[in-house]
């Protein structure tokens, strides 16, 4: 059995974006939204909305680059939990809508990242996905989680992994 580019990307992005959306529901029930939207882990880090935006960008851009298509433009204008949840939903809809056959071609595709300063990286598709796209995505997912947690939202590991659902193995005792 082989694992495809689709298997290692789309479900991972979708599960985490759905989890992130649910964290906002929990956060809204526990803390003032306007305070949480300003939250950041350190003065030189971007605040909560930016972490959601960058997680979204990481997911949609990774899938688009690997499939050889354009990612939808999503300006970073979200200023409420409702707007961040909508951004998650639009990102999920995009990545789920990409043809798995197009993504499969990403295994042979070269991906070039260029930064505004003119520097960048050149990767094979699999190296891009596993060495850059997934770690970058999880950096922003984890940072969003940590901002909410540090602000006192009662998130725990089950929230981070809620896509697993309840345990599938029950003790006999």
């Amino acid at each position: 059995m082989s694992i495809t580019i689709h298997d290692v990307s789309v479900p991972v992005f979708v599960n985490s974006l759905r989890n992130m959306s649910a964290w906002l529901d929990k956060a809204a029930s526990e803390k003032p939204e306007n305070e949480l939207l300003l939250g950041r882990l350190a003065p030189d880090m971007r605040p909560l909305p930016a972490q959601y935006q960058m997680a979204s960008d990481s997911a949609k851009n990774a899938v688009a680059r690997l499939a050889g298509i354009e990612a939808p433009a999503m300006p970073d204008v979200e200023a409420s939990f409702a707007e961040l949840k909508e951004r998650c939903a639009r990102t999920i809809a995009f990545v789920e809508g990409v043809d798995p056959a197009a993504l499969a071609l990403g295994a042979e595709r070269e991906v070039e990242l260029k930064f505004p300063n003119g520097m960048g990286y050149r990767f094979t598709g699999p190296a891009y996905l596993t060495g850059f796209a997934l770690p970058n995505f999880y950096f922003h997912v984890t940072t969003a989680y940590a901002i909410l947690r540090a602000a006192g939202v009662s998130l725990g590991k089950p929230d981070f992994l809620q896509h697993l659902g309840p345990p599938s193995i029950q003790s006999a005792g």
Side-chain angles (χ1 to χ4, degrees), residues 72-138:
M74 293 185 191
D76 297 337
V77 296
E78 294 82 13
S80 70
F81 285 0
E83 290 171 344
L84 291 172
K85 287 171 62 75
E86 175 58 27
R87 171 103 176 219
C88 289
R90 284 184 289 136
T91 306
I92 290 167
F94 171 71
V95 301
E96 285 185 326
V98 172
D99 181 4
L103 267 176
L105 297 175
E108 305 303 322
R109 183 171 278 113
E110 182 179 90
V111 175
E112 194 172 275
L113 288 180
K114 287 191 179 175
F115 303 122
N117 67 4
M119 300 177 80
Y121 295 98
R122 184 173 289 119
F123 300 97
T124 64
Y128 164 71
L129 180 60
T130 61
F132 180 83
L134 288 170
N136 187 57
F137 174 73
Y138 272 116

Side-chain angles (χ1 to χ4, degrees), residues 1 9-10 37-38 42 44 57-58 64 80 84 95 109 125 128 144 148-150 153 157-158 161:
M1 177 184 145
S9 62
V10 172
L37 289 169
L38 299 173
D44 66 340
D57 288 344
S58 296
S80 70
L84 291 172
V95 301
R109 183 171 278 113
Y128 164 71
L148 293 170
R149 185 88 166 104
V153 177
K157 190 177 274 189
L161 299 174

Side-chain angles (χ1 to χ4, degrees), residues 26-57:
K26 188 176 241 187
S29 73
E30 296 180 6
K31 299 283 178 181
E33 180 176 328
N34 59 338
E35 289 176 22
L36 293 173
L37 289 169
L38 299 173
R40 60 181 77 220
L41 292 181
D44 66 340
M45 291 183 81
R46 306 273 315 274
L48 183 68
Q51 301 307 324
Y52 274 76
Q53 293 157 350
M54 290 184 281
S56 162
D57 288 344

